[in-house]
Amino acid sequence: MNMAKTESKIQSLSQYIDVLHNTIDKGSFCYRGQVDHNWEAIPTLLRRPRIEAIRLQTILMRELLAAPHTLPYLRNQDPVEFLMLLQHFRIPTKLLDVSMDPLIALFFACYDTYKKYENVDGKVYIFSLEQYNKVKINTTELNIYKTGITADNYKELLIRRIDNKEHLFFEPLIKNPRMRIQDGAFFMFSTYTTENNDNCLSMEAFHSALNKHRKSQKNNNLLWYAHRIIDKNYKEKILKELDLQFSVNESMVYIDNYTIKSVEKFYRELYERSVNYYESTLKEKFDIPMDIS
């Protein structure tokens, strides 16, 4: 599949659908919409310096163990499940949201909650799932995360579960209501990085670094991703078309009943406690092994 950056910007829903039908080869794909085309594809948490992001992630995991086992929408103590919930309730994690539905991605490339990016082109990323390894979900070897995490073994189990050396993909087996509507899936980013780099790798930088290595090894199995730019002058028009033709709109994408809002508040407070703990106590001194990457 080849989508050159010189191709025309998307100005209508029908044009977008034609692009999908005419340029995407057969296979499995996921999509991500961003309201500002200048943003790199990288999780919010990993926009912090690498060591700071790792420390905050570890504190969040520890908060999981300290909290009651009846956490909202959480069925076990699997760190991946926990990160998934935090991410979908708008808490910064090492996960990057994507959707299996290209229309949902188009919505997010056009929809601006706070009207800050109305004069900026949007972007839809397209990723082929065949080229990424997958996070294991609901396998027998993960049973230990249902009942077996203790204060003595959680560091080891945490590292084993989320210390990935490459960006991995996963689609949850069971989705919460908002995730189900958005047909949500995730990339779990690695916090490993290139030499002399204090920052984690965006999807663009990850592709570039891995492809450079593969070329040096005479390996032509290179990663790729595609994107289409959404014309800023047609965002509002496209949103109206999405609503009229497919009922994709704000009220459909964002389920905000009382339960959802209370769950989001619960996890937001958990995250804020973790940040405050890090800022006030552990910014200079930290008691978790730094090999958690």
Side-chain angles (χ1 to χ4, degrees), residues 165 167 192-195 197 200-217 222-223 225:
K165 292 182 172 61
H167 294 2
Y192 286 85
T193 187
T194 55
E195 293 182 5
N197 190 345
C200 297
L201 299 180
S202 67
M203 187 64 85
E204 294 91 335
F206 170 72
H207 277 224
S208 177
L210 188 55
N211 285 342
K212 182 178 180 180
H213 172 73
R214 290 184 176 182
K215 287 178 181 178
S216 70
Q217 302 298 311
L222 303 181
L223 294 179
Y225 69 89

Side-chain angles (χ1 to χ4, degrees), residues 91 264-274 276:
I91 307 302
E264 187 168 338
K265 179 175 182 291
F266 176 91
Y267 285 117
R268 172 59 59 180
E269 291 174 349
L270 186 151
Y271 173 72
E272 291 174 352
R273 286 199 306 272
S274 298
N276 290 336

Side-chain angles (χ1 to χ4, degrees), residues 7-246:
E7 291 184 7
S8 60
K9 298 177 183 179
I10 298 296
Q11 297 181 343
S12 69
L13 176 57
S14 61
Q15 181 188 1
Y16 179 74
I17 292 174
D18 285 344
V19 166
L20 296 180
H21 284 167
N22 296 330
T23 63
I24 294 183
D25 301 326
K26 291 183 179 179
S28 298
F29 298 88
C30 68
Y31 310 85
R32 175 174 171 82
Q34 296 186 168
V35 72
D36 186 342
H37 76 284
N38 294 300
W39 294 342
E40 288 188 302
I42 188 169
T44 304
L45 180 67
L46 302 191
R47 294 171 191 167
R48 292 173 176 264
R50 174 179 176 271
I51 297 302
E52 184 175 323
I54 292 170
R55 290 174 171 177
L56 280 174
Q57 172 185 265
T58 307
I59 294 169
L60 280 167
M61 295 299 101
R62 190 161 58 189
E63 286 288 330
L64 165 64
L65 290 176
H69 292 302
T70 55
L71 291 172
Y73 294 126
L74 194 66
R75 299 171 294 109
N76 54 50
Q77 294 175 291
D78 184 349
V80 171
E81 293 266 356
F82 188 55
L83 290 175
M84 177 188 71
L85 278 173
L86 291 175
Q87 177 68 21
H88 227 78
F89 286 109
R90 306 178 190 180
I91 307 302
T93 74
K94 63 182 287 185
L95 303 185
L96 185 75
D97 295 275
V98 294
S99 177
M100 307 303 290
D101 186 337
L103 298 186
I104 295 295
L106 180 61
F107 172 86
F108 282 118
C110 297
Y111 181 76
D112 182 6
T113 306
Y114 303 107
K115 309 299 181 184
K116 292 172 59 178
Y117 303 99
E118 292 177 318
N119 296 317
V120 182
D121 289 336
K123 179 190 288 187
V124 173
Y125 287 93
I126 304 170
F127 301 104
S128 172
L129 300 183
E130 296 175 357
Q131 60 188 357
Y132 301 99
N133 289 322
K134 308 300 189 293
V135 178
K136 293 182 179 179
I137 299 292
N138 198 42
T139 61
T140 302
E141 64 192 87
L142 299 178
N143 287 343
I144 191 170
Y145 294 105
K146 296 179 180 178
T147 58
I149 294 185
T150 68
D152 294 327
N153 67 16
Y154 87 92
K155 293 178 186 177
E156 174 192 352
L157 294 178
L158 171 63
I159 294 173
R160 183 192 306 175
R161 186 66 169 130
I162 61 174
D163 183 36
N164 47 303
K165 292 182 172 61
E166 59 182 302
H167 294 2
L168 305 172
F169 173 81
F170 73 100
E171 186 174 8
L173 179 65
I174 297 177
K175 303 181 180 183
N176 66 55
R178 186 181 287 167
M179 196 185 310
R180 192 176 305 123
I181 290 294
Q182 297 177 12
D183 205 359
F186 302 95
F187 282 108
M188 185 164 77
F189 272 50
S190 170
T191 51
Y192 286 85
T193 187
T194 55
E195 293 182 5
N196 302 319
N197 190 345
D198 188 41
N199 298 314
C200 297
L201 299 180
S202 67
M203 187 64 85
E204 294 91 335
F206 170 72
H207 277 224
S208 177
L210 188 55
N211 285 342
K212 182 178 180 180
H213 172 73
R214 290 184 176 182
K215 287 178 181 178
S216 70
Q217 302 298 311
K218 309 298 182 183
N219 181 350
N220 293 321
N221 187 25
L222 303 181
L223 294 179
W224 64 267
Y225 69 89
H227 71 257
R228 290 306 306 237
I229 300 299
I230 311 303
D231 194 319
K232 62 187 178 183
N233 298 309
Y234 291 83
K235 285 181 176 180
E236 191 64 34
K237 171 179 176 287
I238 292 171
L239 287 173
K240 290 178 180 177
E241 291 172 341
L242 282 169
D243 187 11
L244 288 172
Q245 297 183 40
F246 293 97

